[in-house]
Amino acid sequence: MASAVEPKKKSNVMYAFVCSILASMASIILGYDIGVMSGAALYIKKDLKITDVQLEILMGILNFYSLIGSFAAGRTSDWIGRRFTVVVAAAFFFSGALLMGLAGDYATLMLGRFVAGVGVGYGLMIAPVYTAEVSPASARGFLTSFSEVFINIGILLGYVSNYAFARLPLHLGWRVMLGIGAAPSVLLALMVFGMPESPRWLIMKGRLADARVVLDRIAETPAEAAERLADIKAAAGIPDDADDDVVVVPKRRSGEEKQVWKELILSPTPTVRRILLATLGLQFFQQASGVDSVVLYSPRVFQSAGITDDDQLLATTCAVGVTKTVIVLLAAILLDRVGRRPLMLTSSGGMVASLVGLAMGLTVVGRHPDAKVPWAVGLCVTSTLAFVSFFSIGLGPMTAVYTSEIFPLRVRALGYAVGVACNRVTSGVVSMTFLSLSSAITIGGSFFLYAGIVALSWVFFFTCLPETRGRTLEEMGELFGTTTAAGTDAEDAAAGRVDTDSSASRLLG
């Protein structure tokens, strides 16, 4: 019997792992742009003499621009393929970094943010999709979570860049910090040529022979390669007996996209409605927690805590980046061992305590502007590190993982996109209002407000998010109230109504 078991191909697993790492480089560039702006903002404000309102618009507008890239990336990736969509993302990153690095005024800097924001949207969409489509089944969850890990690595590199170039002349330092982001974009574009095209896209184009070659290289066993080929063919509407090297792919029926919108938004079943509510709540609370206020404005927060030396400010900010990166790696390991609910509840509970500690420390320092209060400064730094730790162990990486696995196959792609749109809009609002909010209710009051929002999120997670660890995708409907979600896909398959755009989401599972 032992001889009948196909051994795993270690070389194939390593090849798929390397491809996933290369694709995740787009997430590093995204994280770098977020991280580097936190320190560069200190010098941009001094050099260009802009107001706090102009600064917070500059910081937060990227999230709204990224929506353009996210929705465009779906079309682009279906048109030219996953690999070359990564090149498009790199081109936007490169152009945006150069524009920001060479900006001589606020208007040019905003133009650079627009171009970089479109690149961010492309990166947010294409990196996890490509990774999911080339990952072996046994490692798909772990490798897909690498997108969040690499974002945090990018944020850390942005912080390090702040520290490294802070001693340059004022007019030059922030421009080098932003402009140097163009270098990894070139590296990313070159590395794409060493990556295979997604087998899902190849089959969408009818190129079965090319898809078989890729699947043979990334699957752990020949049986897995054959099974994935059959699954993707079925999702694309290609008959199972069609085995030519190149085949004609059936065109999608008109009105299918409208039907998916109807099933998700206009007239959802009770199960889909609960799933959509869970998704929007999770995506909203992740950003409404104030995490962007901490990441983007950490130097400003530490200034308010009483740390005024630029070197100390940037060094403390680097400590935040290191902490986030280490903890999110731990979360990737615990994801399938501990479960979703325990991590999210622990995460949100710890964030509440951390935000209350940070708010108390900032309030005490604010009431003694002419005196040093060492214990309050220490409380602020400790609370900030604790906050990013609790965020990174649960709410940070878990949001994308949970959202990608709870939707029925037919509406999963659109459902995920709607969740990301909610996430980016909330992030943009938080980023663009933090300085104004701090002026209105004090910076300590702002974090007390965030603590109250996160406390509400704990109640929401406890009551609305069931545990999904160990469950198949077909069982998600039962978790959210009925078996409708499980039955929908089977009925669609029987009726020949499988949505082509959803096959990438099938692979996400």
Side-chain angles (χ1 to χ4, degrees), residues 134-157:
V134 301
S135 299
S138 63
R140 188 172 298 138
F142 175 68
L143 293 179
T144 302
S145 70
F146 263 35
S147 180
E148 180 70 20
V149 173
F150 277 57
I151 287 175
N152 280 278
I153 292 174
I155 291 173
L156 175 58
L157 291 176

Side-chain angles (χ1 to χ4, degrees), residues 294-447:
V294 174
V295 173
L296 288 173
Y297 298 104
S298 52
R300 178 71 71 101
V301 172
F302 292 135
Q303 274 183 335
S304 299
I307 303 173
T308 55
D309 180 76
D310 281 358
D311 285 347
Q312 291 180 346
L313 279 174
L314 297 178
T316 309
T317 301
C318 285
V320 172
V322 171
T323 302
K324 279 177 61 65
T325 303
V326 171
I327 299 300
V328 80
L329 284 169
L330 177 62
I333 296 172
L334 295 177
L335 180 67
D336 291 320
R337 300 184 182 185
V338 176
R340 279 58 160 162
R341 271 176 63 89
L343 287 178
M344 283 194 287
L345 293 174
T346 301
S347 173
S348 54
M351 287 164 65
V352 172
S354 303
L355 286 168
V356 169
L358 178 58
M360 289 175 60
L362 290 169
T363 300
V364 170
V365 173
R367 290 179 178 176
H368 300 83
D370 299 323
K372 285 284 186 179
V373 188
W375 70 266
V377 175
L379 178 61
C380 289
V381 174
T382 303
S383 297
T384 300
L385 295 177
F387 172 78
V388 297
S389 296
F390 280 113
F391 177 83
S392 298
I393 197 67
L395 193 53
M398 210 65 62
T399 300
V401 172
Y402 199 91
T403 300
S404 68
E405 64 189 3
I406 62 175
F407 279 103
L409 173 61
R410 184 170 173 80
V411 298
R412 192 177 302 151
L414 180 59
Y416 190 88
V418 170
V420 169
C422 175
N423 185 286
R424 291 297 88 199
V425 170
T426 307
S427 176
V429 171
V430 170
S431 302
M432 294 172 65
T433 58
F434 176 69
L435 297 180
S436 298
L437 183 66
S438 298
S439 297
I441 63 174
T442 75
I443 190 168
S446 299
F447 285 106

Side-chain angles (χ1 to χ4, degrees), residues 63-297:
N63 295 289
F64 294 101
Y65 294 153
S66 68
L67 293 176
I68 300 173
S70 293
F71 285 108
R75 297 291 185 183
T76 305
S77 63
D78 281 346
W79 178 36
I80 64 175
R82 310 306 193 230
R83 282 199 318 160
F84 290 109
T85 299
V86 175
V87 176
V88 172
F92 276 108
F93 280 130
F94 178 82
S95 302
L98 281 186
L99 278 171
M100 290 188 290
L102 298 174
D105 53 34
Y106 182 74
T108 306
L109 193 56
M110 284 293 289
L111 176 61
R113 291 296 277 172
F114 170 75
V115 176
V118 175
V120 165
Y122 268 89
L124 278 172
M125 182 271 178
I126 197 59
V129 168
Y130 179 87
T131 299
E133 292 182 353
V134 301
S135 299
S138 63
R140 188 172 298 138
F142 175 68
L143 293 179
T144 302
S145 70
F146 263 35
S147 180
E148 180 70 20
V149 173
F150 277 57
I151 287 175
N152 280 278
I153 292 174
I155 291 173
L156 175 58
L157 291 176
Y159 289 159
V160 171
S161 176
N162 291 154
Y163 188 78
F165 300 114
R167 294 169 182 78
L168 292 175
L170 178 62
H171 71 282
L172 184 62
W174 66 267
R175 290 181 169 86
V176 174
M177 294 174 191
L178 298 178
I180 202 172
S185 304
V186 176
L187 181 62
L188 173 64
L190 293 175
M191 289 191 304
V192 164
F193 295 98
M195 298 158 51
E197 182 51 84
S198 158
R200 189 258 180 179
W201 183 80
L202 292 171
I203 292 175
M204 281 176 58
K205 299 300 179 182
R207 295 163 54 181
L208 299 188
D210 293 337
R212 289 190 191 96
V213 172
V214 176
L215 287 171
D216 285 341
R217 296 190 69 182
I218 63 176
E220 294 179 323
T221 64
E224 181 188 339
E227 182 180 354
R228 290 182 65 176
L229 178 66
D231 285 346
I232 303 171
K233 283 172 62 179
I238 299 175
D240 188 54
D241 58 356
D243 289 322
D244 294 336
D245 289 349
V246 179
V247 300
V248 177
V249 180
K251 292 184 177 180
R252 297 177 60 191
R253 301 192 322 185
S254 61
E256 279 190 4
E257 289 188 6
K258 292 181 180 179
Q259 180 64 26
V260 174
W261 274 101
K262 181 179 179 181
E263 292 176 15
L264 181 67
I265 305 294
L266 300 179
S267 57
T269 64
T271 296
V272 173
R273 188 180 299 113
R274 283 193 63 195
I275 291 173
L276 183 61
L277 173 65
T279 295
L280 294 177
L282 184 55
Q283 297 281 359
F284 168 78
F285 281 120
Q286 185 197 49
Q287 295 302 326
S289 66
V291 63
D292 277 355
S293 297
V294 174
V295 173
L296 288 173
Y297 298 104

